């Protein structure tokens, strides 16, 4: 679990704000959810025989003896919240949320035990139009931020019935190569053979490659749904490859699944992943409800943005106010507030803790400020202030206090 220090935080905040702006422009609303849910919720939604539920959850008993789990992902909580609050009752919802998720994984570059996700869900839409919108919306993020090293993979998992016959074919195939399977896969063979396709074990790749593919087992309606999605993506100019082995690590998916992957970040290549989960609401005790969503790992998003040469707008101060001599500090404080009142968004840093002229100028330099504003006793008497350019050549000038805001507004533009 990482501390996200100020410099990294400013990149997080910047990218999050860009993404929030984009999803808002598509009409998605924010929902804020608890970090803890009943363990049962994740077992039932994600599925018992998955990496997350088998070995990645932080689960504990509370003082009342109830089993609770730190959320490993957002969809289950989103659906639980929608059901608890009647949000899916005869209405559609387009929602987003973001925050920390927790998984007991082996920490490494791009894989952490507390990580951040940005999560979008659309509930009550059948698609494939919404499937396309969600993908187009994610494509816009890369485009707007100049991220080029990313590719889209899509697949369809069909209906649960179609998947059942695919499951039989997989069991037959994997049984025939059982002596080459690893321990995890043998355990999953009977219960959840689809999970074997999601294996991260390099030694399993050749066997997985040769397995039957879902697209050959797709039911007709899902096939139509899938080609509808492809047509909309084609029309929107979003390029993709169909990856018939993309199954995703959670049990609740049906029909559309997709993943944005990059090879710019080493082995942790999945940046943004999602899919349709039409059966989940019902599985959790609600009515039959269609749903689809995606989740993006913010750490990987940040790393990819940086790998593509992305920069973050500076968080440096605009002006640094130095106060020297008796009575100047009070006036300087008032001035700082006046500037914040009049110039929208200006970053004003006050010199705190006194100090000589030299040490105050040193701090002004370190703040990154464009200008140091120097208020000494003489300036106070004359009703003016010294304006010293810190980043460009040019002389210090004296500006009347009542003209300062207007002058700075001009200079900082
Ligand atoms: P992976 O295959 O890398 O384990 P996943 O399929 O488990 O990913 P999802 O459950 O789909 O991931 O989560 C959505 C996104 O969250 C991923 O695409 C990834 O960007 C990010 N993510 C998942 N697990 C972690 C983690 N432990 N640390 C950082 N980011 C993560
Ligand atoms: Mg995982």
């Amino acid at each position: 679990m990482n501390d996200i220090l100020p410099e990294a935080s400013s990149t997080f905040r910047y990218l999050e704000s860009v993404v929030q702006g984009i999803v808002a422009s598509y009409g998605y609303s924010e929902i804020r959810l608890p970090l803890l849910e009943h363990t049962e919720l994740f077992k039932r939604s994600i599925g018992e025989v998955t990496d997350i539920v088998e070995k990645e959850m932080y689960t504990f008993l509370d003082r009342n003896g109830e089993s609770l789990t730190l959320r490993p992902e957002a969809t289950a909580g989103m659906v639980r919240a929608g059901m608890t609050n009647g949000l899916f009752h005869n209405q559609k919802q387009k929602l987003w949320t973001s925050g920390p998720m927790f998984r007991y994984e082996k920490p490494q570059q791009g894989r952490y035990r507390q990580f951040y996700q940005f999560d979008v869900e659309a509930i009550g839409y059948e698609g494939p139009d919404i499937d396309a919108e969600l993908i187009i919306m994610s494509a816009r993020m890369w485009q707007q931020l100049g991220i080029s090293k990313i590719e889209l993979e899509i697949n369809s998992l069909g209906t649960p019935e179609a998947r059942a016959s695919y499951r039989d074919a997989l069991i037959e195939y994997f049984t025939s190569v059982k002596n080459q399977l690893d321990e995890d896969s043998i355990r999953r063979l009977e219960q959840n053979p689809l999970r074997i396709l999601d294996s991260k074990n390099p030694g399993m790749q050749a066997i997985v490659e040769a397995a039957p593919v879902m697209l050959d087992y797709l039911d007709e309606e899902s096939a139509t749904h899938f080609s509808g999605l492809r047509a909309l993506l084609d029309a929107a100019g979003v390029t993709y490859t169909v990856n018939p082995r993309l199954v995703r690590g959670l049990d609740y998916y049906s029909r559309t699944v997709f993943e944005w992957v990059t090879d710019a970040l080493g082995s942790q290549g999945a940046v943004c992943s999602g899919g349709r989960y039409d059966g989940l609401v019902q599985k959790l005790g609600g009515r039959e409800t269609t749903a689809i969503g995606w989740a993006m790992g913010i750490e990987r998003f940040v790393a990819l943005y940086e790998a593509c040469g992305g920069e973050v707008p500076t968080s440096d101060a605009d002006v640094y106010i130095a106060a020297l001599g008796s009575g100047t500090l009070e006036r300087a404080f008032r001035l700082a507030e006046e500037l914040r009142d009049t110039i929208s968004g200006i970053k004003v840093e006050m010199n705190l803790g006194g100090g000589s002229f030299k040490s105050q100028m040193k701090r002004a330099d370190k703040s990154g400020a464009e200008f140091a504003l120097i208020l000494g006793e003489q300036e106070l008497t004359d009703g003016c202030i010294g304006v010293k350019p810190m980043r460009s050549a040019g002389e210090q000038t004296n500006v009347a206090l009542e003209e300062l805001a207007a002058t700075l507004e001009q200079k900082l533009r």
Side-chain angles (χ1 to χ4, degrees), residues 91-113:
Q91 43 187 330
K92 301 176 197 296
Q93 295 289 346
K94 295 198 288 185
L95 302 169
W96 68 265
T97 195
S98 77
M101 306 294 155
F102 304 85
R103 295 184 192 178
Y104 190 80
E105 300 203 68
K106 192 167 151 239
Q108 53 199 286
Q109 192 66 37
R111 191 175 294 284
Y112 311 106
R113 290 182 171 175

Short mmCIF file of all heavy atoms in Angstrom, two decimals, residues 91-113:
data_model
loop_
_atom_site.label_atom_id
_atom_site.label_comp_id
_atom_site.label_asym_id
_atom_site.label_seq_id
_atom_site.Cartn_x
_atom_site.Cartn_y
_atom_site.Cartn_z
N GLN A 91 -36.15 2.60 -13.83
CA GLN A 91 -35.33 3.68 -14.35
C GLN A 91 -33.96 3.17 -14.74
O GLN A 91 -33.50 2.14 -14.25
CB GLN A 91 -35.21 4.82 -13.34
CG GLN A 91 -34.98 4.35 -11.92
CD GLN A 91 -35.03 5.49 -10.92
OE1 GLN A 91 -34.69 6.61 -11.24
NE2 GLN A 91 -35.41 5.19 -9.70
N LYS A 92 -33.36 3.91 -15.64
CA LYS A 92 -32.00 3.60 -16.05
C LYS A 92 -31.06 4.50 -15.28
O LYS A 92 -31.44 5.58 -14.84
CB LYS A 92 -31.85 3.86 -17.55
CG LYS A 92 -32.81 3.05 -18.42
CD LYS A 92 -32.61 3.48 -19.87
CE LYS A 92 -33.73 3.08 -20.80
NZ LYS A 92 -33.95 1.66 -20.97
N GLN A 93 -29.83 4.05 -15.12
CA GLN A 93 -28.85 4.86 -14.39
C GLN A 93 -27.52 4.86 -15.14
O GLN A 93 -27.09 3.82 -15.64
CB GLN A 93 -28.59 4.28 -13.00
CG GLN A 93 -29.77 4.31 -12.05
CD GLN A 93 -30.14 5.72 -11.57
OE1 GLN A 93 -29.35 6.66 -11.73
NE2 GLN A 93 -31.33 5.86 -11.03
N LYS A 94 -26.91 6.03 -15.21
CA LYS A 94 -25.52 6.11 -15.70
C LYS A 94 -24.70 6.74 -14.56
O LYS A 94 -24.89 7.90 -14.23
CB LYS A 94 -25.44 6.98 -16.96
CG LYS A 94 -26.20 6.35 -18.14
CD LYS A 94 -25.78 6.94 -19.48
CE LYS A 94 -26.30 8.34 -19.64
NZ LYS A 94 -26.00 8.88 -21.00
N LEU A 95 -23.83 5.93 -13.96
CA LEU A 95 -23.17 6.33 -12.72
C LEU A 95 -21.66 6.19 -12.81
O LEU A 95 -21.16 5.35 -13.55
CB LEU A 95 -23.66 5.45 -11.56
CG LEU A 95 -25.17 5.44 -11.28
CD1 LEU A 95 -25.52 4.33 -10.30
CD2 LEU A 95 -25.63 6.79 -10.76
N TRP A 96 -20.95 7.01 -12.03
CA TRP A 96 -19.51 6.79 -11.89
C TRP A 96 -19.11 6.93 -10.43
O TRP A 96 -19.81 7.56 -9.64
CB TRP A 96 -18.68 7.72 -12.76
CG TRP A 96 -18.70 9.19 -12.39
CD1 TRP A 96 -19.52 10.15 -12.92
CD2 TRP A 96 -17.86 9.88 -11.44
NE1 TRP A 96 -19.25 11.37 -12.35
CE2 TRP A 96 -18.23 11.23 -11.44
CE3 TRP A 96 -16.83 9.46 -10.60
CZ2 TRP A 96 -17.60 12.19 -10.63
CZ3 TRP A 96 -16.21 10.41 -9.79
CH2 TRP A 96 -16.60 11.76 -9.82
N THR A 97 -18.02 6.28 -10.09
CA THR A 97 -17.48 6.43 -8.75
C THR A 97 -15.97 6.26 -8.84
O THR A 97 -15.47 5.78 -9.86
CB THR A 97 -18.11 5.41 -7.76
OG1 THR A 97 -17.82 5.82 -6.42
CG2 THR A 97 -17.57 4.00 -7.97
N SER A 98 -15.25 6.66 -7.82
CA SER A 98 -13.81 6.39 -7.85
C SER A 98 -13.29 6.34 -6.43
O SER A 98 -13.92 6.85 -5.51
CB SER A 98 -13.07 7.45 -8.66
OG SER A 98 -12.94 8.62 -7.91
N GLY A 99 -12.15 5.67 -6.25
CA GLY A 99 -11.59 5.56 -4.92
C GLY A 99 -10.74 4.32 -4.79
O GLY A 99 -10.50 3.62 -5.76
N PRO A 100 -10.28 4.07 -3.56
CA PRO A 100 -9.36 2.94 -3.35
C PRO A 100 -10.07 1.58 -3.35
O PRO A 100 -11.20 1.47 -2.91
CB PRO A 100 -8.78 3.22 -1.96
CG PRO A 100 -9.79 4.06 -1.28
CD PRO A 100 -10.49 4.86 -2.34
N MET A 101 -9.36 0.60 -3.89
CA MET A 101 -9.79 -0.80 -3.88
C MET A 101 -8.67 -1.59 -3.20
O MET A 101 -7.52 -1.14 -3.20
CB MET A 101 -9.99 -1.34 -5.30
CG MET A 101 -10.92 -0.50 -6.16
SD MET A 101 -12.61 -0.52 -5.56
CE MET A 101 -13.22 1.04 -6.24
N PHE A 102 -8.99 -2.76 -2.68
CA PHE A 102 -8.01 -3.51 -1.90
C PHE A 102 -7.96 -4.96 -2.36
O PHE A 102 -8.98 -5.64 -2.43
CB PHE A 102 -8.41 -3.47 -0.41
CG PHE A 102 -8.55 -2.05 0.11
CD1 PHE A 102 -9.75 -1.36 -0.05
CD2 PHE A 102 -7.50 -1.42 0.73
CE1 PHE A 102 -9.89 -0.05 0.41
CE2 PHE A 102 -7.62 -0.11 1.19
CZ PHE A 102 -8.82 0.57 1.04
N ARG A 103 -6.75 -5.40 -2.70
CA ARG A 103 -6.59 -6.81 -3.08
C ARG A 103 -5.26 -7.31 -2.53
O ARG A 103 -4.23 -6.66 -2.72
CB ARG A 103 -6.59 -6.98 -4.61
CG ARG A 103 -7.92 -6.59 -5.24
CD ARG A 103 -7.93 -6.87 -6.74
NE ARG A 103 -9.09 -6.24 -7.36
CZ ARG A 103 -9.36 -6.28 -8.66
NH1 ARG A 103 -8.53 -6.93 -9.48
NH2 ARG A 103 -10.43 -5.68 -9.13
N TYR A 104 -5.31 -8.46 -1.89
CA TYR A 104 -4.09 -9.04 -1.34
C TYR A 104 -3.36 -9.73 -2.48
O TYR A 104 -3.54 -10.91 -2.75
CB TYR A 104 -4.44 -10.03 -0.22
CG TYR A 104 -3.22 -10.49 0.54
CD1 TYR A 104 -2.66 -9.70 1.53
CD2 TYR A 104 -2.63 -11.72 0.25
CE1 TYR A 104 -1.53 -10.12 2.22
CE2 TYR A 104 -1.51 -12.15 0.93
CZ TYR A 104 -0.97 -11.34 1.91
OH TYR A 104 0.15 -11.75 2.58
N GLU A 105 -2.54 -8.96 -3.20
CA GLU A 105 -1.79 -9.50 -4.33
C GLU A 105 -0.31 -9.38 -4.02
O GLU A 105 0.10 -8.72 -3.06
CB GLU A 105 -2.08 -8.68 -5.59
CG GLU A 105 -3.55 -8.70 -5.97
CD GLU A 105 -3.74 -8.39 -7.45
OE1 GLU A 105 -3.33 -9.21 -8.28
OE2 GLU A 105 -4.31 -7.33 -7.75
N LYS A 106 0.52 -9.94 -4.87
CA LYS A 106 1.95 -9.78 -4.71
C LYS A 106 2.31 -8.40 -5.25
O LYS A 106 2.20 -8.16 -6.46
CB LYS A 106 2.66 -10.88 -5.49
CG LYS A 106 4.13 -10.97 -5.16
CD LYS A 106 4.73 -12.27 -5.70
CE LYS A 106 6.20 -12.06 -6.02
NZ LYS A 106 6.52 -12.33 -7.41
N PRO A 107 2.72 -7.48 -4.38
CA PRO A 107 2.97 -6.11 -4.85
C PRO A 107 4.13 -6.07 -5.83
O PRO A 107 5.14 -6.74 -5.64
CB PRO A 107 3.32 -5.34 -3.58
CG PRO A 107 2.85 -6.18 -2.45
CD PRO A 107 2.94 -7.60 -2.94
N GLN A 108 3.97 -5.35 -6.89
CA GLN A 108 5.01 -5.16 -7.89
C GLN A 108 4.64 -3.91 -8.69
O GLN A 108 3.58 -3.34 -8.47
CB GLN A 108 5.11 -6.38 -8.81
CG GLN A 108 3.76 -6.78 -9.43
CD GLN A 108 3.74 -8.20 -9.94
OE1 GLN A 108 4.32 -8.50 -10.96
NE2 GLN A 108 3.04 -9.07 -9.23
N GLN A 109 5.51 -3.54 -9.62
CA GLN A 109 5.21 -2.38 -10.46
C GLN A 109 3.81 -2.51 -11.08
O GLN A 109 3.53 -3.51 -11.74
CB GLN A 109 6.27 -2.33 -11.58
CG GLN A 109 6.28 -1.04 -12.35
CD GLN A 109 6.70 0.14 -11.48
OE1 GLN A 109 7.56 0.01 -10.62
NE2 GLN A 109 6.07 1.27 -11.71
N GLY A 110 2.93 -1.55 -10.82
CA GLY A 110 1.61 -1.58 -11.44
C GLY A 110 0.60 -2.50 -10.76
O GLY A 110 -0.51 -2.66 -11.23
N ARG A 111 1.01 -3.13 -9.66
CA ARG A 111 0.10 -4.03 -8.95
C ARG A 111 0.29 -3.79 -7.46
O ARG A 111 1.35 -4.06 -6.90
CB ARG A 111 0.41 -5.48 -9.33
CG ARG A 111 -0.64 -6.48 -8.84
CD ARG A 111 -0.36 -7.89 -9.33
NE ARG A 111 -0.47 -8.02 -10.77
CZ ARG A 111 -1.62 -8.06 -11.43
NH1 ARG A 111 -2.75 -8.00 -10.78
NH2 ARG A 111 -1.63 -8.18 -12.74
N TYR A 112 -0.74 -3.26 -6.83
CA TYR A 112 -0.62 -2.86 -5.44
C TYR A 112 -1.75 -3.45 -4.61
O TYR A 112 -2.73 -3.94 -5.16
CB TYR A 112 -0.63 -1.32 -5.34
CG TYR A 112 0.34 -0.70 -6.31
CD1 TYR A 112 -0.10 -0.06 -7.46
CD2 TYR A 112 1.72 -0.83 -6.11
CE1 TYR A 112 0.79 0.46 -8.38
CE2 TYR A 112 2.62 -0.32 -7.02
CZ TYR A 112 2.16 0.32 -8.16
OH TYR A 112 3.04 0.82 -9.07
N ARG A 113 -1.61 -3.36 -3.28
CA ARG A 113 -2.65 -3.92 -2.42
C ARG A 113 -3.75 -2.91 -2.15
O ARG A 113 -4.88 -3.28 -1.92
CB ARG A 113 -2.00 -4.44 -1.13
CG ARG A 113 -1.18 -5.67 -1.44
CD ARG A 113 -0.55 -6.28 -0.21
NE ARG A 113 0.05 -7.57 -0.55
CZ ARG A 113 0.75 -8.31 0.28
NH1 ARG A 113 0.93 -7.90 1.52
NH2 ARG A 113 1.24 -9.46 -0.11
#
